[in-house]
Amino acid sequence: MGNWVVNHWFPAVVIAAWLGLNVFLFVYYFLLFDRDKKFYYTRVLLGSALAWARASAKCLNFNSMLILLPVCRNLLSFLRGTCSCCRRTMRKQLDHNLTFHKLVAYTIALFTAVHIIAHLCNFEWYNDSQQAADGSLSSILSDLHQDEESNKWLNPIHSNSTTPAYVTFTTIPGLTGVIITVALILMVTSSMEFIRRSYFEVFWYTHHLFIIYFAGLVIHGIAGLVRGQTAESLNKHNPEHCAQDPTHWGRKNKHSHCEEPEFGSIPAESWQWVLAPILLYVFERVLRFWRSQQRVVVTKAVVHPSKVLELQMHKKGFSMEVGQYIFINCPSVSCLEWHPFTLTSAPEEDFFSVHIRAAGDWTENLIDTFQQQKPKTPRIEVDGPFGTASEDVFQYEVAMLVGAGIGVTPFASVLKSIWYKFQHADQRLKTKKIYFYWLCRDTGAFAWFNDLLASLEREMEESGKAGFLNYRLFLTGWDNSIAGQAAFNFDKDTDVVTGLKQKTSFGRPMWSNEFSVVATAHPRSVVGVFLCGPQALAKGLQKCCHQYSSLDPRKVKFYFNKENF
């Protein structure tokens, strides 16, 4: 429980502040439109639906202001760099950017639903008031200034033949509302985990409807269909007094003098909320476009077993840290699609590299393109690098690195960097011990990483630091012949599956045992747990971090970190 508080107090404070602001905005504007004298006559026509519509609109503006900030990757990388001297718990919060982005998106969807329902009620009640001919206050208000060019009317429906559907699809607020809603539905549904994993292109293209969403949001309120009494009119017509006898409006008598009320539109405000983040995001995209146009030279392209493509590249001025990632575009495959990949090279190397596993249409086509165009390589564009949680590996005395399948890529960068640090006797290396776990479904997946592990084994032994790296390889998919062959050759110096000295384990790790061993071996250390893998595995590791962290601040603490693109 103590470690949960340490790991989560800051995001909890951020979420609480964000929720608090949403509640404040909703309550404040709900009460404003539900009680303000300016909207007295508007409430006569619409009732409380006016307050529901306007309060939800304010919350929509607030969350639309926030939605772009978590995906400004250059901004996040800059903040991570400027926070290099901050506490690790502060830097870790930048890794929650996509979680916060999704949370804000779902909140926008919620308030959009409230806003739509409220306005559907408003249109219906506007229509009912216009068609009423009973001399009621709502009927009188609907007829006021309808035939004038002064634009002082209250009811936007000016004809008995006008339907709510007609207003919805012929007015600026109605039409933009429909467009915004359709764009939002497509973006939210295409962002589901299944769609993103299996049909990334669908997610990628539909997510760019955010341009239409913001364009529609900015112009949504400019027509001013929802109106209130003007300040000048309030000086000559007090609705709380004059509403009692609307038949005498505009007439002078000894009892009262109430001129006919005049109404004006509510100024459009959405642009004021979203202008700054839109400009920031435009700057972000311009910067990324300019950087992506710099020439990239592919110096090596190799297709490893299990259809993993290794690309070694060079780009002028490119600088990276361990565990960072880049976006890659191949115009011959798709001009518009950019996909994130973790760098597998070390900062000490004179090139940067990625390993790309065939996991969808785009990656399949990319690998096929490189295989078909030998010896000439297709053009590659690169945007990045961008920071991730793995940058903080060397901030911990002890690190547990967990990679699942191709999720080993950020740790390839880490282990390579350690190799170079040992070769150059880097005294600044704070890390004293690394536990590395790699989970793979098939034996072919081990092949491309074996050389690095074998080199690290040899380097550690030669430098007298054989105990620095403790690695375990787990084969989660196998048949009886592989298991039998491994058992038959168990006494050999090297593993029959990988050729390494460390024997391959069959099945999945017992994480409770692994954490118990680490906690016992390092009773007073701060342990960083880093994962690049599925969410189900993340939940198990996070649970173990909480379970095996001591409440005593002088004893072992586990900090969980997960890669998020």
Side-chain angles (χ1 to χ4, degrees):
M1 181 65 183
N3 191 53
W4 187 94
V5 173
V6 171
N7 275 291
H8 293 82
W9 74 268
F10 188 79
V13 168
V14 172
I15 296 301
W18 168 73
L19 287 174
L21 285 171
N22 273 286
V23 171
F24 169 77
L25 286 172
F26 190 89
V27 172
Y28 177 82
Y29 283 102
F30 187 93
L31 295 176
L32 174 67
F33 285 93
D34 197 51
R35 298 181 178 180
D36 195 332
K37 188 187 298 185
K38 176 180 179 180
F39 303 104
Y40 183 95
Y41 287 128
T42 315
R43 291 194 296 272
V44 170
L45 268 61
L46 304 179
S48 61
L50 168 68
W52 282 98
R54 298 308 300 172
S56 59
K58 296 298 180 181
C59 292
L60 274 172
N61 288 336
F62 172 63
N63 286 283
S64 296
M65 176 184 72
L66 298 177
I67 191 72
L68 290 177
L69 298 181
V71 290
C72 289
R73 299 179 187 271
N74 283 299
L75 173 64
L76 296 176
S77 295
F78 172 76
L79 292 175
R80 182 181 290 276
T82 56
C83 289
S84 59
C85 297
C86 301
R87 289 172 57 87
R88 61 174 67 91
T89 50
M90 296 291 287
R91 291 196 305 276
K92 270 168 52 63
Q93 309 323 313
L94 297 173
D95 302 323
H96 298 288
N97 63 312
L98 293 185
T99 301
F100 185 66
H101 176 74
K102 295 174 186 176
L103 193 58
V104 172
Y106 292 137
T107 305
I108 288 176
L110 172 63
F111 283 119
T112 297
V114 174
H115 189 70
I116 290 172
I117 293 171
H119 269 318
L120 288 176
C121 295
N122 288 337
F123 280 147
E124 193 64 40
W125 288 328
Y126 273 138
N127 194 50
D128 291 344
S129 298
Q130 176 60 38
Q131 294 183 359
D134 54 3
S136 62
L137 179 57
S138 60
S139 175
I140 294 172
L141 288 169
S142 294
D143 290 336
L144 278 176
H145 311 296
Q146 293 282 13
D147 300 326
E148 302 176 10
E149 297 180 358
S150 58
N151 198 33
K152 298 175 181 178
W153 44 266
L154 177 61
N155 193 333
I157 297 180
H158 299 169
S159 169
N160 291 339
S161 61
T162 303
T163 64
Y166 178 82
V167 175
T168 300
F169 291 99
T170 59
T171 62
I172 291 177
L175 189 58
T176 55
V178 171
I179 293 173
I180 289 172
T181 303
V182 171
L184 186 62
I185 291 173
L186 290 173
M187 285 190 289
V188 171
T189 54
S190 67
S191 300
M192 298 302 176
E193 185 75 12
F194 171 75
I195 299 295
R196 287 192 295 111
R197 294 293 182 186
S198 303
Y199 306 97
F200 184 85
E201 293 81 2
V202 174
F203 159 75
W204 178 260
Y205 288 121
T206 55
H207 228 58
H208 282 77
L209 291 173
F210 80 91
I211 299 172
I212 295 176
Y213 172 84
F214 277 100
L217 183 68
V218 167
I219 64 176
H220 179 61
I222 62 175
L225 294 191
V226 178
R227 304 161 73 84
Q229 195 172 349
T230 64
E232 183 180 357
S233 176
L234 283 170
N235 292 331
K236 303 175 182 178
H237 181 109
N238 184 346
E240 295 175 344
H241 171 70
C242 297
Q244 307 302 322
D245 190 7
T247 58
H248 288 85
W249 288 351
R251 301 177 183 177
K252 294 184 178 180
N253 57 53
K254 61 181 181 179
H255 299 294
S256 66
H257 173 57
C258 295
E259 295 188 3
E260 288 188 341
E262 298 176 350
F263 305 93
S265 61
I266 302 172
E269 297 178 348
S270 295
W271 67 271
Q272 299 175 359
W273 290 84
V274 300
L275 179 61
I278 287 176
L279 291 177
L280 179 63
Y281 188 78
V282 168
F283 175 76
E284 163 95 3
R285 298 303 302 184
V286 169
L287 176 61
R288 292 180 63 176
F289 176 78
W290 172 79
R291 192 166 54 183
S292 68
Q293 296 306 300
Q294 296 174 332
R295 183 170 177 264
V296 176
V297 178
V298 179
T299 57
K300 181 180 179 182
V302 180
V303 178
H304 295 283
S306 295
K307 213 166 186 182
V308 173
L309 172 66
E310 178 185 1
L311 294 179
Q312 291 186 7
M313 296 165 281
H314 183 270
K315 182 179 179 181
K316 185 177 180 181
F318 188 90
S319 177
M320 62 164 287
E321 298 293 336
V322 293
Q324 291 187 326
Y325 67 96
I326 58 175
F327 279 87
I328 289 181
N329 169 262
C330 181
S332 58
V333 175
S334 173
C335 293
L336 298 178
E337 289 187 49
W338 291 80
H339 292 258
F341 297 98
T342 306
L343 291 163
T344 53
S345 52
E348 293 83 357
E349 294 175 311
D350 59 358
F351 63 88
F352 62 97
S353 65
V354 294
H355 286 71
I356 302 171
R357 177 174 61 89
D361 293 341
W362 188 88
T363 50
E364 290 273 5
N365 292 335
L366 179 69
I367 294 173
D368 291 341
T369 300
F370 270 89
Q371 289 178 319
Q372 294 167 4
Q373 295 193 18
K374 288 182 178 180
K376 183 181 178 181
T377 58
R379 183 165 67 92
I380 290 291
E381 296 178 354
V382 170
D383 179 26
F386 301 103
T388 67
S390 295
E391 285 185 52
D392 293 337
V393 167
F394 298 141
Q395 299 295 322
Y396 294 90
E397 303 167 10
V398 180
M400 296 175 67
L401 315 180
V402 183
I406 200 64
V408 73
T409 50
F411 310 130
S413 175
V414 172
L415 296 177
K416 281 184 181 181
S417 184
I418 289 173
W419 185 16
Y420 283 105
K421 290 180 187 299
F422 279 158
Q423 284 185 330
H424 296 92
D426 191 340
Q427 301 299 319
R428 295 172 298 175
L429 183 61
K430 181 180 179 180
T431 307
K432 306 300 180 184
K433 180 77 174 183
I434 285 183
Y435 295 86
F436 172 58
Y437 306 86
W438 190 13
L439 289 66
C440 282
R441 291 181 180 177
D442 58 89
T443 56
F446 288 121
W448 70 270
F449 202 46
N450 281 359
D451 291 341
L452 173 60
L453 289 175
S455 300
L456 283 170
E457 276 185 334
R458 189 168 53 253
E459 177 67 24
M460 301 300 176
E461 289 180 359
E462 292 175 357
S463 61
K465 296 184 178 180
F468 178 85
L469 175 64
N470 183 314
Y471 69 91
R472 304 271 313 273
L473 308 181
F474 294 85
L475 187 61
T476 58
W478 75 92
D479 54 35
N480 291 333
S481 61
I482 295 176
Q485 188 179 5
F488 182 76
N489 295 278
F490 185 79
D491 293 334
K492 290 189 176 181
D493 293 337
T494 58
D495 181 59
V496 68
V497 177
T498 63
L500 299 168
K501 291 183 179 180
Q502 175 67 47
K503 303 297 183 180
T504 299
S505 300
F506 292 85
R508 301 182 183 278
M510 295 291 291
W511 290 115
S512 57
N513 293 342
E514 300 298 332
F515 274 80
S516 179
V517 169
V518 174
T520 302
H522 309 278
R524 299 184 181 277
S525 296
V526 177
V527 182
V529 180
F530 295 84
L531 168 68
C532 188
Q535 188 60 35
L537 181 55
K539 291 180 180 178
L541 292 177
Q542 198 163 18
K543 181 179 178 181
C544 287
C545 286
H546 302 159
Q547 182 179 351
Y548 288 92
S549 290
S550 174
L551 293 174
D552 189 339
R554 297 168 297 178
K555 295 184 178 180
V556 65
K557 290 286 184 297
F558 290 90
Y559 289 85
F560 180 73
N561 304 267
K562 185 181 184 300
E563 294 294 305
N564 294 294
F565 296 139

